[in-house]
Amino acid sequence: MILKIFKAVWFVSLMAVLANLLYVYAGWPEQVLLYTSNGAGVEVGKEPLFYTSIAVITVFNLLVYLFSRRVTPSEVFRSWLHGQIITFNAFFIVALSFIGLYNSAEHFDYTRIGGIIYAAVGLVLVWALGWPVIWLWQNLMIKK
């Protein structure tokens, strides 16, 4: 049952990350500024960044299909993997939104969004570290 819930939430998160990508793509300038340091910046073209983002999002979301029922019969692992991909999608939404805000003409205090970015990365890491804990818990419960 939990796997079905994670599948539904994964699908919604995939649609959300794609909608967010299209939204921020519409607002990007022709040369998207990714990073600045000491007056020098790293700029990337709008289209290469868009297609690279699509490729990265696709690769991460294809992991759900690579670990299908035939390859990984463990429903617990597949549930965890769906959750991990959901956290990656949440990170992609935050990262793409930040790039969009960074390149907008509005004056925005970027220091306040740092906590959200760190929270998204922390969520990915906490969920990733959750699998060894679940695996150990299951093995200890089976031995008892």
Side-chain angles (χ1 to χ4, degrees):
M1 179 65 181
I2 193 75
L3 181 59
K4 289 183 181 183
I5 294 170
F6 275 133
K7 283 183 179 182
V9 173
W10 165 74
F11 182 75
V12 169
S13 74
L14 178 61
M15 293 298 111
V17 75
L18 292 177
N20 184 49
L21 177 61
L22 291 175
Y23 178 74
V24 296
Y25 173 74
W28 284 342
E30 286 302 316
Q31 289 295 321
V32 179
L33 184 63
L34 296 179
Y35 174 74
T36 58
S37 177
N38 298 329
V42 176
E43 291 183 347
V44 177
K46 180 179 183 175
E47 286 81 19
L49 181 59
F50 175 76
Y51 290 116
T52 302
S53 299
I54 287 286
V56 169
I57 290 167
T58 302
V59 166
F60 275 93
N61 282 279
L62 279 177
L63 290 175
V64 169
Y65 293 108
L66 290 177
F67 291 96
S68 64
R69 185 177 307 194
R70 282 178 259 139
V71 175
T72 308
S74 171
E75 185 173 326
V76 175
F77 177 74
R78 287 185 289 135
S79 298
W80 173 83
L81 182 64
H82 277 81
Q84 184 68 47
I85 302 303
I86 292 166
T87 62
F88 279 124
N89 286 341
F91 172 74
F92 293 143
I93 289 170
V94 170
L96 291 170
S97 296
F98 177 71
I99 292 171
L101 282 174
Y102 193 67
N103 286 281
S104 71
E106 298 178 26
H107 298 287
F108 188 77
D109 184 16
Y110 303 112
T111 58
R112 295 185 346 196
I113 199 169
I116 297 170
I117 293 171
Y118 289 130
V121 171
L123 181 64
V124 169
L125 292 176
V126 166
W127 197 273
L129 294 174
W131 175 246
V133 172
I134 293 169
W135 184 77
L136 285 172
W137 178 263
Q138 282 184 334
N139 285 341
L140 290 175
M141 295 307 278
I142 290 173
K143 289 182 181 180
K144 286 186 178 184

